[in-house]
Amino acid sequence: MPLSRPARTVGRRPRSTGLAALVVLSAALTGVLAYQSWAAPSSSAVSPGDTRQRPRALGEADGAVPDGLTVFADLPAVANLDPELLAALRRAATDAAADGVEFYVNSGWRSPEYQEHLLREAVAKYGSAAEAARWVATPETSPHVQGNAIDIGHAAAKAWLSENGARYGLCQIYRNEPWHYELRPDAVDHGCPPMYADPTHDPRMQR
């Protein structure tokens, strides 16, 4: 009968060694998670090449006008005007040209976005919404957005319209804006109506 071997005693690892291993493992996991969080793109971030979140640039399609634009042009600022207003403007411009005066368009039809842009600029320029309202209407009330107003450039054209505009139904509406004209058909027979001091006195602007 073989001699029995003494039982092998399995030694226990020191508790401190197990704790150290857990600390190392925890640190490693934390590092991996931190790296993944740093490397993964944020769901709210917009990559440099992604322009979907950027406001589109305003241009001629919104009613912006280049220098030297006339009432005979085909750009949206002119073409999108009310047809009767545009016809009256072109008749007047044709007659004014015979007097050596040319009509230039500083502004005509405007998109709501362009009107809002102009309003924000006016608030920044004049310091308050109340003061800006004397010069620029909201997109909801502006006759430019409706295609019912035009701003004429050059002093000679404004002077010619001031004297002759009523014959074509073209009237200056605001005393503080000698460039702003709208169509008032009754003016052909009865003259233009009294002007408002500025747009804040116009009931149409109170909506």
Side-chain angles (χ1 to χ4, degrees):
M1 183 175 183
L3 296 174
S4 61
R5 296 180 181 178
R8 181 180 297 174
T9 302
V10 179
R12 295 181 179 178
R13 293 181 180 179
R15 183 175 297 178
S16 60
T17 303
L19 289 175
L22 288 174
V23 170
V24 171
L25 179 60
S26 176
L29 288 173
T30 300
V32 169
L33 292 175
Y35 173 80
Q36 290 178 340
S37 175
W38 172 82
S42 170
S43 61
S44 61
V46 178
S47 64
D50 186 356
T51 60
R52 289 174 298 175
Q53 302 300 322
R54 299 174 185 172
R56 66 180 179 85
L58 297 171
E60 291 179 356
D62 295 283
V65 300
D67 292 338
L69 189 71
T70 75
V71 297
F72 297 100
D74 196 32
L75 291 181
V78 175
N80 289 349
L81 289 171
D82 172 76
E84 293 185 4
L85 170 60
L86 183 55
L89 282 165
R90 287 176 171 173
R91 288 196 303 271
T94 298
D95 292 346
D99 293 335
V101 176
E102 190 165 8
F103 286 6
Y104 291 100
V105 179
N106 281 348
S107 191
W109 169 85
R110 302 169 187 159
S111 70
E113 293 80 8
Y114 188 30
Q115 186 70 28
E116 180 66 30
H117 169 74
L118 294 176
L119 181 58
R120 288 197 302 268
E121 285 191 333
V123 171
K125 177 179 179 179
Y126 296 109
S128 70
E131 185 62 21
R134 298 184 61 243
W135 304 98
V136 182
T138 66
E140 294 76 20
T141 61
S142 172
H144 284 280
V145 174
Q146 299 158 13
N148 292 329
I150 190 166
D151 293 347
I152 292 293
H154 291 199
K158 287 182 284 188
W160 194 96
L161 271 177
S162 178
E163 183 176 349
N164 302 289
R167 290 162 37 199
Y168 307 88
L170 298 171
C171 295
Q172 179 183 338
I173 303 302
Y174 308 117
R175 282 199 299 272
N176 70 328
E177 295 187 357
W179 53 82
H180 180 106
Y181 277 79
E182 298 181 26
L183 183 65
R184 297 291 184 270
D186 289 346
V188 175
D189 296 321
H190 305 291
C192 289
M195 287 182 274
Y196 299 109
D198 61 58
T200 62
H201 295 267
D202 186 343
R204 297 176 300 170
M205 303 297 119
Q206 308 308 316
R207 292 181 298 178

